[in-house]
Amino acid sequence: MDSPTFARRFGLLYREFYLRAPRRADDGRERPSPDTVAMLLHMAQAGPATASELARQLDRAQSTLNARVAALEAAGLVSRRCGGQDVRRTRIWLSPAGRQALAEALEVLDTARLEAAAAAWDDARRRRLIDEFDALLDALLEAVPPVAQTPAGPPS
């Protein structure tokens, strides 16, 4: 199979997977709003920042951002650490719960449905499929630089 045929066929297969195994909004888990996901994703990529830095980066009014961060902190999704004696240098970052909420929000496929579909396969067959997907991802990363960075943890 040539590369253009592979690319079209893989694209069609991916679409069919997404139609048959999407993670549904009614799967019982509480979901963060799209605005919250966008903010958590930005924080994961940018790393710890002050409220004024976040307001500038996210193009939000300082008062709006402060209220949003307070709500995220109350929900346990972000943490703050004072940057010394200057309280204006307090850094905000994703908490472990925030990283978990972001990871769940970014899940596009229903893992329970995939697990059920592959239950009859032996370990070797499941491993082969994963190995091939890993190899394809490696090839994509070589051809096109990644967009997202590894989520940042708290400052040391």
Side-chain angles (χ1 to χ4, degrees):
M1 177 182 306
D2 63 13
S3 291
T5 302
F6 165 81
R8 282 190 305 277
R9 181 72 179 128
F10 188 84
L12 290 171
L13 285 170
Y14 181 82
R15 185 177 68 196
E16 292 300 318
F17 269 94
Y18 189 77
L19 289 172
R20 285 167 177 73
R23 183 171 162 223
R24 302 278 185 206
D26 62 352
D27 67 0
R29 290 182 267 187
E30 187 172 323
R31 291 179 171 249
S33 70
D35 185 56
T36 297
V37 172
M39 190 168 175
L40 295 176
L41 187 57
H42 174 81
M43 293 174 72
Q45 292 174 337
T50 64
S52 59
E53 290 168 343
L54 283 173
R56 188 174 52 258
Q57 293 166 357
L58 296 169
D59 195 25
R60 304 274 175 90
Q62 185 75 44
S63 59
T64 302
L65 183 95
N66 287 340
R68 193 76 186 109
V69 167
L72 293 174
E73 187 175 26
L77 301 179
V78 298
S79 299
R80 299 180 198 238
R81 178 177 289 166
C82 190
Q85 294 179 342
D86 187 354
V87 295
R88 294 171 298 175
R89 297 302 303 167
T90 298
R91 298 247 177 233
I92 303 161
W93 71 88
L94 290 182
S95 67
R99 286 191 293 279
Q100 179 64 35
L102 178 58
E104 288 177 8
L106 295 176
E107 286 179 11
V108 295
L109 297 177
D110 184 330
T111 54
R113 293 184 92 180
L114 293 171
E115 181 181 340
W121 291 6
D122 63 26
D123 289 346
R125 186 174 187 190
R126 287 190 292 265
R127 172 55 50 203
R128 280 192 310 273
L129 180 61
I130 294 300
D131 288 346
E132 293 301 324
F133 267 86
D134 281 340
L136 182 58
L137 179 58
D138 288 344
L140 281 171
L141 293 175
E142 288 176 16
V144 180
V147 175
Q149 298 172 352
T150 303
S156 27

